Amino acid sequence: MIKKQIILPTLLLATILIGGMTGCTSSKSPDVSQGGDSGTKVSDTTNSPASNTADRAEKRDAVRKQVEAVLTPDQVKQLSTKLQNGEKMRKAVLSLNLTAEQKTKIQDIFKTAYPHRKGQS
């Protein structure tokens, strides 16, 4: 009699827990939207990693060319050396001895190229 009193509630609790866990897991279907999403598929809003990397490399090269156009030939050499040593573009540029005019122009280039990075310089 005691075994029935323990086993029955245990089975009932296990059933509820398992049912609750499977009800909470997300569907692997890509067209299922959750919450307040507009229903946009993830595949519609992201590029493949290979094309994203190529696009980013092109953008970096374009920004670098714009920055180099503002710099003196000596500063361009310094920048190239710093970038080859693995320094980040923004840090490498700002470590150069820039004039006030160069700083303004380069900040404008960065703001235009990376508008989501507000407040970083």
Side-chain angles (χ1 to χ4, degrees):
M1 186 75 177
I2 294 177
K3 287 184 179 181
K4 285 184 178 180
Q5 290 175 343
I6 295 172
I7 292 174
L8 190 58
T10 305
L11 287 174
L12 182 60
L13 182 61
T15 304
I16 292 171
L17 288 175
I18 291 172
M21 288 182 356
T22 57
C24 292
T25 58
S26 63
S27 172
K28 292 184 179 182
S29 175
D31 61 345
V32 174
S33 64
Q34 296 178 350
D37 277 352
S38 62
T40 306
K41 292 182 184 178
V42 173
S43 59
D44 291 344
T45 59
T46 59
N47 295 331
S48 67
S51 66
N52 191 20
T53 303
D55 291 343
R56 292 175 76 189
E58 287 178 26
K59 187 173 183 177
R60 275 193 307 270
D61 288 342
V63 170
R64 182 177 177 176
K65 287 177 184 177
Q66 289 177 344
V67 168
E68 287 177 350
V70 175
L71 302 175
T72 65
D74 188 43
Q75 289 171 327
V76 171
K77 289 179 189 175
Q78 291 175 15
L79 177 64
S80 294
T81 302
K82 289 176 188 256
L83 292 176
Q84 287 173 354
N85 291 334
E87 199 167 326
K88 300 282 183 182
M89 169 71 99
R90 185 176 296 266
K91 184 177 179 183
V93 169
L94 295 176
S95 69
L96 300 173
N97 189 17
L98 300 173
T99 65
E101 184 180 347
Q102 286 176 319
K103 285 180 185 178
T104 303
K105 287 180 181 180
I106 290 172
Q107 285 176 350
D108 287 343
I109 291 169
F110 285 149
K111 284 179 186 176
T112 302
Y114 307 108
H116 60 282
R117 299 182 110 197
K118 294 180 182 175
Q120 293 184 4
S121 46

